[in-house]
Amino acid sequence: MPPIPADFGPVLVVAAHHDDEVLGCGGVLARLARAGHDVHVAILGEGATCRLDDGDEAAKAALVRLQQEQARRAAAILGARAVHFGDLPDNRFDSLPLLDVVRRVEALVREVGPGLVLTHHHGDLNVDHAVTARAVLTAARPLPDRTTRAVLSFEAPSSTEWAFGLPGSPFRPTLFVDIAEHLQAKLEALAAYGDEMRPFPHPRSAEAVRHLAALRGATAGRTAAEAFEILHWTM
Ligand SMILES: [Zn+2]
């Protein structure tokens, strides 16, 4: 990636769900953390609401705790400094006014003060991903008094590539970051999520993640890479 100036400040990932942050940019997070950048992960969705029947509050709270613990473990493996948890209803982000989501992301951006923000692609099949991308673009627009100097969108396997025929532009990466030395950390962070990972040939399997890294790497003459669209970048 372009060398990040020292005054860029922290890096913030804004993901809709647990494990999206690792699938989308876990290798880059490990690389940036290793290089001394302050990496923050934000997960906007609360996680458990779409998994359990309404009413079983105790089971829901236990699942939320487990998912947060898994996210902290994954972040620690990647070297991230902090994980911020939201409480938006999973798979129903579009039931909220967009302004509510924007305000939450704006609060995060004010708190962390990131120079670089990474988030979902706006064309993803998953509605929470699309809403998150739109909210981040608004919350991290390059106003004179804001810290954010760059925004990248990443791909989330089983969502970005499954947006068959949806209106809007497909994911067409223009930035390839070599993660050959960090692919193992990415896979270990994904393993921290336990059951979230599926057996191959599901796109969210360790083997498919390795294959995608090899494909993105080969596009740019590397053995392993993560791919991004640059939404804006000011230097
Ligand atoms: Zn997701």
Side-chain angles (χ1 to χ4, degrees):
M1 63 201 313
I4 298 179
D7 66 349
F8 237 53
V11 175
L12 172 65
V13 184
V14 183
H17 312 118
H18 306 78
D19 86 359
D20 286 335
E21 80 286 6
V22 185
L23 286 163
C25 58
V28 164
L29 297 187
R31 178 172 161 168
L32 291 174
R34 192 81 57 86
H37 292 277
D38 253 2
V39 172
H40 291 250
V41 171
I43 297 166
L44 299 183
E46 77 169 328
T49 42
C50 68
R51 305 275 181 86
L52 299 170
D53 294 331
D54 286 342
D56 194 348
E57 294 303 323
K60 208 177 270 185
L63 187 52
V64 168
R65 273 198 305 277
L66 172 68
Q67 289 174 328
Q68 292 189 350
E69 186 46 45
Q70 290 172 333
R72 285 196 193 92
R73 215 176 309 141
I77 290 166
L78 299 176
R81 172 174 292 263
V83 189
H84 309 256
F85 296 106
D87 60 357
L88 302 186
D90 264 30
N91 290 316
R92 292 197 302 266
F93 284 16
D94 58 339
S95 68
L96 304 167
L98 179 63
L99 186 59
D100 288 4
V101 186
V102 169
R103 283 185 174 144
R104 295 189 195 219
V105 180
E106 274 180 336
L108 268 168
V109 167
R110 266 198 305 278
E111 183 186 341
V112 175
L116 172 63
V117 178
L118 302 100
T119 192
H120 291 281
H121 184 251
H122 58 79
D124 275 16
L125 178 62
N126 186 283
V127 70
D128 296 351
H129 294 188
V131 170
T132 299
R134 180 72 193 260
V136 169
L137 207 52
T138 306
R141 58 201 189 280
L143 288 164
D145 62 341
R146 302 288 175 90
T147 59
T148 306
R149 312 260 291 272
V151 178
L152 304 177
S153 63
F154 53 71
E155 56 186 332
S158 81
S159 188
T160 310
E161 79 280 31
W162 283 354
F164 305 114
L166 289 185
S169 48
F171 182 73
R172 284 194 300 198
T174 48
L175 172 65
F176 298 84
V177 184
D178 190 326
I179 61 158
E181 289 178 23
H182 309 284
L183 181 57
Q184 192 53 38
K186 174 173 182 161
L187 292 167
E188 285 171 19
L190 285 171
Y193 277 110
D195 294 347
E196 302 284 333
M197 294 303 284
R198 312 287 167 75
F200 187 77
H202 195 285
R204 285 171 176 252
S205 59
E207 196 171 348
V209 167
R210 269 197 299 270
H211 288 316
L212 181 60
L215 174 68
R216 294 312 191 189
T219 303
R222 297 288 188 274
T223 57
E226 283 170 343
F228 302 88
E229 277 188 6
I230 297 177
L231 300 184
H232 61 85
W233 191 293
T234 306
M235 290 177 74

mmCIF file of all heavy atoms in Angstrom, residues 75-105:
data_model
loop_
_atom_site.group_PDB
_atom_site.id
_atom_site.type_symbol
_atom_site.label_atom_id
_atom_site.label_comp_id
_atom_site.label_asym_id
_atom_site.label_seq_id
_atom_site.Cartn_x
_atom_site.Cartn_y
_atom_site.Cartn_z
ATOM 1 N N ALA A 75 -8.421 -10.067 17.550
ATOM 2 C CA ALA A 75 -7.732 -8.768 17.475
ATOM 3 C C ALA A 75 -6.351 -8.864 18.123
ATOM 4 O O ALA A 75 -5.378 -8.287 17.619
ATOM 5 C CB ALA A 75 -8.568 -7.687 18.156
ATOM 6 N N ALA A 76 -6.260 -9.603 19.225
ATOM 7 C CA ALA A 76 -4.971 -9.745 19.912
ATOM 8 C C ALA A 76 -3.978 -10.488 19.022
ATOM 9 O O ALA A 76 -2.796 -10.139 18.961
ATOM 10 C CB ALA A 76 -5.169 -10.480 21.235
ATOM 11 N N ILE A 77 -4.467 -11.513 18.311
ATOM 12 C CA ILE A 77 -3.583 -12.268 17.413
ATOM 13 C C ILE A 77 -3.033 -11.347 16.320
ATOM 14 O O ILE A 77 -1.868 -11.434 15.928
ATOM 15 C CB ILE A 77 -4.337 -13.468 16.795
ATOM 16 C CG1 ILE A 77 -4.616 -14.523 17.879
ATOM 17 C CG2 ILE A 77 -3.558 -14.083 15.630
ATOM 18 C CD1 ILE A 77 -5.623 -15.584 17.484
ATOM 19 N N LEU A 78 -3.869 -10.425 15.844
ATOM 20 C CA LEU A 78 -3.439 -9.514 14.769
ATOM 21 C C LEU A 78 -2.624 -8.338 15.298
ATOM 22 O O LEU A 78 -2.024 -7.608 14.525
ATOM 23 C CB LEU A 78 -4.667 -8.986 14.015
ATOM 24 C CG LEU A 78 -5.528 -10.054 13.330
ATOM 25 C CD1 LEU A 78 -6.765 -9.413 12.717
ATOM 26 C CD2 LEU A 78 -4.730 -10.809 12.277
ATOM 27 N N GLY A 79 -2.653 -8.133 16.612
ATOM 28 C CA GLY A 79 -1.895 -7.021 17.195
ATOM 29 C C GLY A 79 -2.686 -5.727 17.300
ATOM 30 O O GLY A 79 -2.106 -4.655 17.493
ATOM 31 N N ALA A 80 -4.019 -5.816 17.156
ATOM 32 C CA ALA A 80 -4.853 -4.610 17.265
ATOM 33 C C ALA A 80 -4.876 -4.120 18.711
ATOM 34 O O ALA A 80 -4.788 -4.895 19.649
ATOM 35 C CB ALA A 80 -6.268 -4.901 16.784
ATOM 36 N N ARG A 81 -4.989 -2.805 18.863
ATOM 37 C CA ARG A 81 -4.957 -2.202 20.191
ATOM 38 C C ARG A 81 -6.302 -2.315 20.919
ATOM 39 O O ARG A 81 -6.346 -2.498 22.126
ATOM 40 C CB ARG A 81 -4.586 -0.731 20.057
ATOM 41 C CG ARG A 81 -4.700 0.072 21.332
ATOM 42 C CD ARG A 81 -4.182 1.460 21.125
ATOM 43 N NE ARG A 81 -2.758 1.443 20.906
ATOM 44 C CZ ARG A 81 -1.864 1.672 21.876
ATOM 45 N NH1 ARG A 81 -2.262 1.951 23.096
ATOM 46 N NH2 ARG A 81 -0.584 1.638 21.624
ATOM 47 N N ALA A 82 -7.409 -2.157 20.171
ATOM 48 C CA ALA A 82 -8.714 -2.122 20.844
ATOM 49 C C ALA A 82 -9.810 -2.616 19.909
ATOM 50 O O ALA A 82 -9.694 -2.515 18.693
ATOM 51 C CB ALA A 82 -9.029 -0.689 21.280
ATOM 52 N N VAL A 83 -10.882 -3.158 20.517
ATOM 53 C CA VAL A 83 -12.072 -3.551 19.764
ATOM 54 C C VAL A 83 -13.259 -2.776 20.336
ATOM 55 O O VAL A 83 -13.436 -2.716 21.554
ATOM 56 C CB VAL A 83 -12.359 -5.065 19.871
ATOM 57 C CG1 VAL A 83 -13.458 -5.456 18.894
ATOM 58 C CG2 VAL A 83 -11.105 -5.878 19.598
ATOM 59 N N HIS A 84 -14.033 -2.163 19.457
ATOM 60 C CA HIS A 84 -15.198 -1.377 19.859
ATOM 61 C C HIS A 84 -16.444 -2.124 19.375
ATOM 62 O O HIS A 84 -16.544 -2.467 18.198
ATOM 63 C CB HIS A 84 -15.154 0.016 19.212
ATOM 64 C CG HIS A 84 -13.846 0.728 19.413
ATOM 65 N ND1 HIS A 84 -13.691 1.747 20.321
ATOM 66 C CD2 HIS A 84 -12.624 0.563 18.827
ATOM 67 C CE1 HIS A 84 -12.434 2.190 20.283
ATOM 68 N NE2 HIS A 84 -11.771 1.484 19.389
ATOM 69 N N PHE A 85 -17.398 -2.358 20.292
ATOM 70 C CA PHE A 85 -18.586 -3.135 19.931
ATOM 71 C C PHE A 85 -19.815 -2.244 19.839
ATOM 72 O O PHE A 85 -20.081 -1.448 20.747
ATOM 73 C CB PHE A 85 -18.830 -4.237 20.956
ATOM 74 C CG PHE A 85 -17.722 -5.262 21.015
ATOM 75 C CD1 PHE A 85 -16.827 -5.271 22.070
ATOM 76 C CD2 PHE A 85 -17.571 -6.192 19.999
ATOM 77 C CE1 PHE A 85 -15.796 -6.201 22.124
ATOM 78 C CE2 PHE A 85 -16.542 -7.128 20.039
ATOM 79 C CZ PHE A 85 -15.654 -7.138 21.107
ATOM 80 N N GLY A 86 -20.565 -2.410 18.745
ATOM 81 C CA GLY A 86 -21.832 -1.707 18.592
ATOM 82 C C GLY A 86 -22.987 -2.612 18.977
ATOM 83 O O GLY A 86 -22.789 -3.757 19.386
ATOM 84 N N ASP A 87 -24.205 -2.102 18.843
ATOM 85 C CA ASP A 87 -25.378 -2.892 19.230
ATOM 86 C C ASP A 87 -26.460 -2.843 18.147
ATOM 87 O O ASP A 87 -27.647 -2.949 18.440
ATOM 88 C CB ASP A 87 -25.934 -2.395 20.566
ATOM 89 C CG ASP A 87 -26.352 -0.931 20.490
ATOM 90 O OD1 ASP A 87 -26.155 -0.313 19.424
ATOM 91 O OD2 ASP A 87 -26.882 -0.419 21.494
ATOM 92 N N LEU A 88 -26.044 -2.695 16.890
ATOM 93 C CA LEU A 88 -27.034 -2.649 15.818
ATOM 94 C C LEU A 88 -27.586 -4.062 15.571
ATOM 95 O O LEU A 88 -26.878 -5.049 15.741
ATOM 96 C CB LEU A 88 -26.407 -2.098 14.532
ATOM 97 C CG LEU A 88 -25.781 -0.702 14.617
ATOM 98 C CD1 LEU A 88 -25.341 -0.226 13.234
ATOM 99 C CD2 LEU A 88 -26.755 0.294 15.236
ATOM 100 N N PRO A 89 -28.856 -4.153 15.154
ATOM 101 C CA PRO A 89 -29.494 -5.476 14.965
ATOM 102 C C PRO A 89 -28.980 -6.178 13.712
ATOM 103 O O PRO A 89 -29.136 -5.679 12.604
ATOM 104 C CB PRO A 89 -30.984 -5.127 14.824
ATOM 105 C CG PRO A 89 -30.997 -3.728 14.298
ATOM 106 C CD PRO A 89 -29.778 -3.035 14.855
ATOM 107 N N ASP A 90 -28.381 -7.358 13.900
ATOM 108 C CA ASP A 90 -27.773 -8.081 12.784
ATOM 109 C C ASP A 90 -28.770 -8.369 11.665
ATOM 110 O O ASP A 90 -29.897 -8.801 11.918
ATOM 111 C CB ASP A 90 -27.206 -9.412 13.282
ATOM 112 C CG ASP A 90 -25.731 -9.295 13.591
ATOM 113 O OD1 ASP A 90 -25.304 -8.195 13.962
ATOM 114 O OD2 ASP A 90 -25.020 -10.301 13.458
ATOM 115 N N ASN A 91 -28.318 -8.169 10.447
ATOM 116 C CA ASN A 91 -29.093 -8.401 9.224
ATOM 117 C C ASN A 91 -30.336 -7.530 9.121
ATOM 118 O O ASN A 91 -31.222 -7.803 8.307
ATOM 119 C CB ASN A 91 -29.457 -9.885 9.064
ATOM 120 C CG ASN A 91 -28.218 -10.698 8.744
ATOM 121 O OD1 ASN A 91 -27.398 -10.286 7.922
ATOM 122 N ND2 ASN A 91 -28.040 -11.823 9.412
ATOM 123 N N ARG A 92 -30.389 -6.484 9.952
ATOM 124 C CA ARG A 92 -31.500 -5.527 9.874
ATOM 125 C C ARG A 92 -30.989 -4.090 9.972
ATOM 126 O O ARG A 92 -31.716 -3.213 10.427
ATOM 127 C CB ARG A 92 -32.509 -5.802 11.007
ATOM 128 C CG ARG A 92 -33.257 -7.117 10.872
ATOM 129 C CD ARG A 92 -34.493 -7.131 11.753
ATOM 130 N NE ARG A 92 -34.149 -6.914 13.147
ATOM 131 C CZ ARG A 92 -33.935 -7.881 14.037
ATOM 132 N NH1 ARG A 92 -34.034 -9.149 13.675
ATOM 133 N NH2 ARG A 92 -33.638 -7.606 15.282
ATOM 134 N N PHE A 93 -29.752 -3.845 9.573
ATOM 135 C CA PHE A 93 -29.248 -2.462 9.644
ATOM 136 C C PHE A 93 -30.135 -1.523 8.818
ATOM 137 O O PHE A 93 -30.233 -0.346 9.113
ATOM 138 C CB PHE A 93 -27.814 -2.356 9.090
ATOM 139 C CG PHE A 93 -26.722 -2.881 9.993
ATOM 140 C CD1 PHE A 93 -26.980 -3.696 11.080
ATOM 141 C CD2 PHE A 93 -25.392 -2.548 9.733
ATOM 142 C CE1 PHE A 93 -25.952 -4.180 11.883
ATOM 143 C CE2 PHE A 93 -24.360 -3.011 10.537
ATOM 144 C CZ PHE A 93 -24.635 -3.836 11.606
ATOM 145 N N ASP A 94 -30.767 -2.097 7.755
ATOM 146 C CA ASP A 94 -31.594 -1.242 6.892
ATOM 147 C C ASP A 94 -32.934 -0.904 7.534
ATOM 148 O O ASP A 94 -33.719 -0.159 6.969
ATOM 149 C CB ASP A 94 -31.803 -1.901 5.525
ATOM 150 C CG ASP A 94 -32.463 -3.264 5.626
ATOM 151 O OD1 ASP A 94 -32.415 -3.883 6.703
ATOM 152 O OD2 ASP A 94 -33.039 -3.713 4.618
ATOM 153 N N SER A 95 -33.201 -1.451 8.735
ATOM 154 C CA SER A 95 -34.423 -1.067 9.446
ATOM 155 C C SER A 95 -34.211 0.221 10.241
ATOM 156 O O SER A 95 -35.154 0.770 10.811
ATOM 157 C CB SER A 95 -34.870 -2.196 10.389
ATOM 158 O OG SER A 95 -33.936 -2.346 11.450
ATOM 159 N N LEU A 96 -32.966 0.687 10.300
ATOM 160 C CA LEU A 96 -32.651 1.915 11.037
ATOM 161 C C LEU A 96 -32.506 3.067 10.040
ATOM 162 O O LEU A 96 -32.085 2.856 8.907
ATOM 163 C CB LEU A 96 -31.312 1.760 11.773
ATOM 164 C CG LEU A 96 -31.180 0.588 12.731
ATOM 165 C CD1 LEU A 96 -29.718 0.395 13.131
ATOM 166 C CD2 LEU A 96 -32.031 0.817 13.964
ATOM 167 N N PRO A 97 -32.837 4.294 10.495
ATOM 168 C CA PRO A 97 -32.519 5.435 9.621
ATOM 169 C C PRO A 97 -31.008 5.479 9.398
ATOM 170 O O PRO A 97 -30.231 5.282 10.350
ATOM 171 C CB PRO A 97 -32.992 6.645 10.438
ATOM 172 C CG PRO A 97 -33.937 6.106 11.460
ATOM 173 C CD PRO A 97 -33.482 4.700 11.747
ATOM 174 N N LEU A 98 -30.588 5.720 8.156
ATOM 175 C CA LEU A 98 -29.146 5.750 7.854
ATOM 176 C C LEU A 98 -28.426 6.740 8.770
ATOM 177 O O LEU A 98 -27.296 6.491 9.214
ATOM 178 C CB LEU A 98 -28.938 6.114 6.382
ATOM 179 C CG LEU A 98 -27.478 6.194 5.929
ATOM 180 C CD1 LEU A 98 -26.771 4.848 6.050
ATOM 181 C CD2 LEU A 98 -27.377 6.725 4.496
ATOM 182 N N LEU A 99 -29.104 7.843 9.086
ATOM 183 C CA LEU A 99 -28.479 8.861 9.926
ATOM 184 C C LEU A 99 -28.067 8.301 11.295
ATOM 185 O O LEU A 99 -27.034 8.696 11.842
ATOM 186 C CB LEU A 99 -29.444 10.050 10.097
ATOM 187 C CG LEU A 99 -28.883 11.253 10.838
ATOM 188 C CD1 LEU A 99 -27.660 11.818 10.133
ATOM 189 C CD2 LEU A 99 -29.964 12.336 10.983
ATOM 190 N N ASP A 100 -28.852 7.374 11.833
ATOM 191 C CA ASP A 100 -28.492 6.769 13.127
ATOM 192 C C ASP A 100 -27.174 6.003 13.018
ATOM 193 O O ASP A 100 -26.340 6.033 13.926
ATOM 194 C CB ASP A 100 -29.585 5.802 13.601
ATOM 195 C CG ASP A 100 -30.824 6.540 14.068
ATOM 196 O OD1 ASP A 100 -30.849 7.781 13.939
ATOM 197 O OD2 ASP A 100 -31.764 5.868 14.531
ATOM 198 N N VAL A 101 -27.007 5.260 11.911
ATOM 199 C CA VAL A 101 -25.774 4.490 11.717
ATOM 200 C C VAL A 101 -24.606 5.448 11.501
ATOM 201 O O VAL A 101 -23.524 5.273 12.061
ATOM 202 C CB VAL A 101 -25.919 3.503 10.532
ATOM 203 C CG1 VAL A 101 -24.692 2.607 10.435
ATOM 204 C CG2 VAL A 101 -27.187 2.665 10.665
ATOM 205 N N VAL A 102 -24.841 6.502 10.711
ATOM 206 C CA VAL A 102 -23.791 7.490 10.452
ATOM 207 C C VAL A 102 -23.328 8.106 11.772
ATOM 208 O O VAL A 102 -22.118 8.253 12.014
ATOM 209 C CB VAL A 102 -24.301 8.600 9.500
ATOM 210 C CG1 VAL A 102 -23.311 9.756 9.450
ATOM 211 C CG2 VAL A 102 -24.539 8.037 8.107
ATOM 212 N N ARG A 103 -24.263 8.441 12.643
ATOM 213 C CA ARG A 103 -23.886 9.080 13.914
ATOM 214 C C ARG A 103 -23.022 8.168 14.769
ATOM 215 O O ARG A 103 -22.106 8.619 15.448
ATOM 216 C CB ARG A 103 -25.137 9.498 14.684
ATOM 217 C CG ARG A 103 -25.735 10.765 14.104
ATOM 218 C CD ARG A 103 -26.896 11.263 14.910
ATOM 219 N NE ARG A 103 -27.361 12.546 14.404
ATOM 220 C CZ ARG A 103 -28.624 12.934 14.373
ATOM 221 N NH1 ARG A 103 -29.564 12.128 14.838
ATOM 222 N NH2 ARG A 103 -28.947 14.119 13.912
ATOM 223 N N ARG A 104 -23.322 6.861 14.745
ATOM 224 C CA ARG A 104 -22.493 5.932 15.526
ATOM 225 C C ARG A 104 -21.078 5.870 14.955
ATOM 226 O O ARG A 104 -20.105 5.832 15.699
ATOM 227 C CB ARG A 104 -23.115 4.543 15.518
ATOM 228 C CG ARG A 104 -24.431 4.591 16.245
ATOM 229 C CD ARG A 104 -24.995 3.264 16.476
ATOM 230 N NE ARG A 104 -26.394 3.452 16.856
ATOM 231 C CZ ARG A 104 -26.999 2.749 17.777
ATOM 232 N NH1 ARG A 104 -26.339 1.820 18.406
ATOM 233 N NH2 ARG A 104 -28.251 2.954 18.056
ATOM 234 N N VAL A 105 -20.985 5.840 13.641
ATOM 235 C CA VAL A 105 -19.653 5.783 13.034
ATOM 236 C C VAL A 105 -18.922 7.108 13.273
ATOM 237 O O VAL A 105 -17.720 7.120 13.545
ATOM 238 C CB VAL A 105 -19.737 5.445 11.528
ATOM 239 C CG1 VAL A 105 -18.343 5.397 10.909
ATOM 240 C CG2 VAL A 105 -20.455 4.110 11.308
#
